[in-house]
Amino acid sequence: RSAAFDAAPRARPSGSPLFATRSVQTKVVRISQTPNPKADLAMAMSAPLVDRTTGHCRSLMVLQGMDYVGSALFAFTGCLKAAVVAEMDVLGCCLVGFTTAAGGGTIRDLLLGQTPVFWMKSPQYIVLAVATSLATFFLYPYFRTNKGLNFDENEQEIMNWADAVSLGAFACGGALNAMRRCVHPVVVVVCGLMTASFGGVIRDLLCQQRPWIFHRDSGLYASTALGGATTFVVTTQYAPWPVGMLACISVVVGLRYSSWKYGAALPLFDAGLGSKDKASEEGGKK
């Protein structure tokens, strides 16, 4: 059976919101007429991932919306940490906020050889991150006098849920972007992990702090992005990618919930005898 798609841009149907922004360009693939069907399948996956059904396009819109929300949330946390912890000025806070929001995706694009990176082709990410950082810098002290980074129970709950959904969207978006480049599934998982969490690593390094996501006090964080991206890769082998997107975000949110609600975390290295020997040596010196 051949899977043939029109190679020329399709005309925009009148009154159809599906093609309101750009035309659909796809590639001609005839798997049955080639001696290398795997190569043709790779070519099909490397085509622009603009889906041809209303449901899939709605899934893309939902993922894009969550990506914007996540970018704003990460810019907020990055700016806040730069202002309160590192005591940076307004320019430093804006740069750290933008780096927190876009750092992971930038590293992913550079490693995949996908240049210019995403925010150079879509400058709305720059505007969103900088606007969020400026609003945080000037309005946060006005509305939360002398509270710093301390949130009450309800505020922390909202932040946790928003952060979990955003983390899942970033992991899914990173994995989906890598999958379009036809890389190995393991690389797809790593790209999902980097997209979701490496912006926070850069933020902490710029603020001269230890990377929070690599320590037990963060609970399950980077590991949730890893689990979500893995779920996305496995699910998309048997189901359409919107199902994989839902599964990825559900896994990330579920793991994050178990972390902040029940204190779930990855195990630490048990020094065991080494710690006892060190304690005994100190006791002997005393």
Side-chain angles (χ1 to χ4, degrees), residues 89-177:
D89 60 16
V90 61
L91 177 60
C93 290
C94 288
L95 289 176
V96 173
F98 170 71
T99 303
T100 307
T106 301
I107 296 175
R108 175 206 65 214
D109 285 354
L110 291 175
L111 292 179
L112 290 175
Q114 189 170 320
T115 54
V117 296
F118 75 98
W119 50 266
M120 290 184 174
K121 295 181 288 186
S122 302
Q124 62 265 30
Y125 284 98
I126 304 176
V127 176
L128 177 63
V130 172
T132 302
S133 299
L134 288 174
T136 302
F137 187 88
F138 289 107
L139 298 180
Y140 187 87
Y142 178 77
F143 289 103
R144 297 181 56 83
T145 305
N146 298 326
K147 288 189 176 181
L149 295 174
N150 298 319
F151 296 97
D152 60 36
E153 185 176 351
N154 293 331
E155 292 172 336
Q156 189 63 53
E157 190 75 9
I158 294 174
M159 287 288 293
N160 286 337
W161 282 107
D163 181 71
V165 174
S166 301
L167 189 69
F170 272 42
C172 178
L176 184 61
N177 194 290

Side-chain angles (χ1 to χ4, degrees), residues 56-70:
H56 285 196
C57 285
R58 286 176 179 170
S59 299
L60 281 173
M61 293 173 62
V62 170
L63 183 61
Q64 185 71 68
M66 289 189 292
D67 190 52
Y68 286 146
V69 172

Side-chain angles (χ1 to χ4, degrees), residues 6-131:
D6 187 7
R10 298 182 183 177
R12 180 183 300 179
S14 59
S16 174
L18 188 59
F19 302 94
T21 57
R22 55 179 173 175
S23 60
V24 178
Q25 294 181 350
T26 53
K27 298 183 178 180
V28 176
V29 180
R30 296 187 180 276
I31 297 178
S32 62
Q33 300 177 7
T34 175
N36 190 356
K38 289 185 177 181
D40 255 347
L41 182 59
M43 182 183 293
M45 293 204 50
S46 66
L49 250 175
V50 179
D51 295 272
R52 301 161 188 83
T53 63
T54 303
H56 285 196
C57 285
R58 286 176 179 170
S59 299
L60 281 173
M61 293 173 62
V62 170
L63 183 61
Q64 185 71 68
M66 289 189 292
D67 190 52
Y68 286 146
V69 172
S71 297
L73 180 64
F74 286 8
F76 165 74
T77 59
C79 175
L80 197 60
K81 190 164 190 176
V84 177
V85 176
E87 299 181 348
M88 295 185 183
D89 60 16
V90 61
L91 177 60
C93 290
C94 288
L95 289 176
V96 173
F98 170 71
T99 303
T100 307
T106 301
I107 296 175
R108 175 206 65 214
D109 285 354
L110 291 175
L111 292 179
L112 290 175
Q114 189 170 320
T115 54
V117 296
F118 75 98
W119 50 266
M120 290 184 174
K121 295 181 288 186
S122 302
Q124 62 265 30
Y125 284 98
I126 304 176
V127 176
L128 177 63
V130 172

